[in-house]
Amino acid sequence: MNTNIQIEPLRNWKIFRNKPLIIAGPCSAESEDQLMITARELAATGKVDVFRAGIWKPRTRPNSFEGVGSEGLKWLKQVKLETGLPTATEVATEKHVYEALKFGVDVLWIGARTTVNPFAMQEIADALQGVDVMVFVKNPINPELELWIGAVERLCKAGITRIGAIHRGFSSYEKTAFRNQPKWQIAIDLRQRFPGLSILCDPSHMGGDRAFLQDISQEAMDLDYDGLMIESHFDPDHALSDKKQQVTPDQLSILLDQLILRTVDSPDSQFMSTMDELRSQIDIYDDLLLDILERRMQVAQTIGQFKKAHNITILQSNRWQEIVNKAVRKGGTKGLSVEFISTILKAIHQESIAHQLKVMNENTMMEIGLPIEK
Ligand code: PEP
Ligand code: MN
């Protein structure tokens, strides 16, 4: 946990009305008409809190549409004036920050290709020193929690307190159904490291196709995300960037209506007491698991002593492969996935080896005068 970091809860930000916070708008600002039509239609749904549009577009390959640049900031200002919606755009350099702030953009976000770069992040943090603005940090393109954390920390150190994260998934070399892999656990770990940091999900860049938006958005709600950033264009099929994943404002409105919203607690006392009872069962099983692991490690240590006495190696690859295969087969009959069983057994095996290494090296360490960790 980072104790010296101050983060203002999303419910205190002026853009917040209800959970989930909805940020919507086109991938890119393309023309004044495109922006105004889309913004009017989104505002008319009454379901959007912030209007987004990319002004400077970080494209993977050259010769793609790279955004209209500062010209588009005038249109964003017009959107705010006409619809009353606060606006958001992506910034990747010091110049972007100054320009966006000059035109009164309310919310800035840092794109995945920028979070990944500590130099760029520091340049942005320096430009934001002491500025009263709301900032969201998208996850880096690669599945690296520390880079995401580092980007948040740099902004916090610059005095930004209204800061949140956007989970848009992680790229991989292999072609997969989704454009970017969710790897939900990384966002859950981020929340664990910064309790109080709000997290939105960006199902548009995660799925890469409008067909996936509903399911991904629902999953984010089920995981208690604070909001969604979704790309919406009045004419998605003719969008200049990310056309497959954009939806019309009407489609967005239907998607939001269909979301099932859940709360963390319930005012229903019957429900809460049943939950308490079920949770105490979970606590009992967790304690049992720990007891069993302790006993298993004790046996592993005895084996370690025995191997030492007979000069036998700690690692016994064949035996280990047998254990894994057997457990995976048995786990399958108990509804446990191959991935889960393999991960858990690998961790147990590593711990066993660590215990056995300690046993094997105890005397050697004493002989050479090193302290023995007990
Ligand atoms: C975007 O929001 O349009 C964008 C470029 O997103 P990301 O940084 O997630 O790729
Ligand atoms: Mn996009």
Side-chain angles (χ1 to χ4, degrees):
M1 221 217 298
N2 298 266
T3 43
N4 55 349
I5 273 173
Q6 257 214 321
I7 295 174
E8 190 76 36
L10 188 63
R11 62 176 179 278
N12 295 348
W13 299 17
K14 59 178 182 286
I15 52 170
F16 183 81
R17 292 185 303 170
N18 301 302
K19 193 172 165 180
L21 177 91
I22 304 297
I23 302 181
C27 176
S28 309
E30 300 166 3
S31 69
E32 186 167 2
D33 276 354
Q34 170 254 6
L35 215 61
M36 293 312 302
I37 297 171
T38 307
R40 280 184 207 119
E41 292 185 7
L42 284 171
T45 67
K47 294 169 191 156
V48 172
D49 301 297
V50 179
F51 179 79
R52 68 149 276 162
I55 296 290
W56 302 277
K57 298 304 300 177
R59 305 309 298 275
T60 304
R61 305 274 303 274
N63 308 322
S64 315
F65 173 64
E66 291 187 316
V68 290
S70 302
E71 167 79 3
L73 291 169
K74 291 187 214 143
W75 312 333
L76 268 186
K77 202 167 175 182
Q78 193 55 33
V79 164
K80 188 165 151 178
L81 214 64
E82 218 189 277
T83 64
L85 286 175
T87 55
T89 201
E90 172 176 345
V91 290
T93 65
E94 178 186 52
K95 173 179 169 273
H96 295 167
V97 170
Y98 294 144
E99 292 277 292
L101 294 175
K102 192 165 82 194
F103 283 87
V105 174
D106 304 274
V107 179
L108 306 178
W109 84 81
I110 315 290
R113 293 162 192 77
T114 308
T115 308
V116 84
N117 180 346
F119 287 131
M121 276 313 306
Q122 194 54 51
E123 179 182 316
I124 294 168
D126 290 343
L128 284 173
Q129 187 80 42
V131 177
D132 184 19
V133 70
M134 294 163 267
V135 187
F136 283 100
V137 183
K138 288 201 172 193
N139 66 256
I141 38 180
N142 56 326
E144 163 81 65
L145 177 61
E146 294 303 317
L147 276 172
W148 203 357
I149 287 176
V152 171
E153 282 172 340
R154 281 176 205 276
L155 294 170
C156 287
K157 276 183 73 178
I160 303 291
T161 55
R162 285 175 297 157
I163 185 164
I166 299 178
H167 178 201
R168 50 76 85 191
F170 303 89
S171 57
S172 66
Y173 184 62
E174 296 77 32
K175 285 273 159 283
T176 50
F178 284 179
R179 179 175 173 188
N180 290 294
Q181 297 312 295
K183 298 190 184 292
W184 297 100
Q185 187 58 43
I186 297 181
I188 292 170
D189 289 345
L190 178 74
R191 202 154 43 173
Q192 217 61 48
R193 295 275 287 270
F194 290 102
L197 181 78
S198 303
I199 305 195
L200 313 186
C201 175
D202 170 349
S204 308
H205 293 89
M206 206 178 263
D209 191 310
R210 60 184 76 101
F212 299 129
L213 290 183
Q214 188 81 47
D215 286 351
I216 299 176
S217 304
Q218 187 59 55
E219 181 141 7
M221 294 300 98
D222 295 346
L223 292 171
D224 196 28
Y225 277 55
D226 299 280
L228 300 167
M229 179 190 254
I230 302 187
E231 287 187 339
S232 176
H233 187 295
F234 83 100
D235 182 10
D237 291 336
H238 295 100
L240 298 183
S241 56
D242 288 350
K243 61 169 100 176
K244 264 173 52 190
Q245 67 196 35
Q246 303 206 59
V247 283
T248 64
D250 277 350
Q251 289 167 328
L252 176 73
S253 175
I254 294 169
L255 180 153
L256 295 175
D257 281 343
Q258 287 178 354
L259 275 188
I260 301 165
L261 301 181
R262 308 183 205 277
T263 50
V264 178
D265 296 315
S266 162
D268 178 344
S269 59
Q270 181 63 47
F271 166 83
M272 284 316 278
S273 73
T274 308
M275 278 300 280
D276 285 347
E277 151 63 18
L278 291 169
R279 282 179 176 152
S280 59
Q281 286 186 38
I282 292 278
D283 290 347
I284 292 170
Y285 286 120
D286 284 350
D287 277 349
L288 272 174
L289 277 174
L290 289 177
D291 286 346
I292 288 175
L293 286 171
E294 183 192 20
R295 276 186 265 155
R296 192 192 186 286
M297 290 310 153
Q298 283 163 356
V299 178
Q301 275 177 3
T302 311
I303 294 181
Q305 277 151 0
F306 203 54
K307 282 179 181 166
K308 183 179 180 179
H310 292 83
N311 249 343
I312 301 287
T313 58
I314 290 183
L315 189 64
Q316 301 272 329
S317 299
N318 291 345
R319 158 85 179 137
W320 182 243
Q321 203 46 53
E322 261 172 46
I323 292 182
V324 175
N325 293 345
K326 205 169 88 192
V328 163
R329 268 197 311 276
K330 195 162 177 187
T333 68
K334 295 175 182 291
L336 304 171
S337 70
V338 176
E339 198 189 14
F340 173 68
I341 295 289
S342 314
T343 310
I344 205 162
L345 279 182
K346 197 167 164 193
I348 291 174
H349 190 223
Q350 273 171 3
E351 184 72 6
S352 267
I353 288 184
H355 280 266
Q356 294 192 358
L357 275 173
K358 220 192 255 173
V359 170
M360 286 244 180
N361 294 324
E362 224 161 19
N363 289 340
T364 326
M365 284 167 95
M366 258 194 287
E367 276 157 25
I368 57 175
L370 286 174
I372 304 161
E373 253 185 69
K374 287 278 181 197

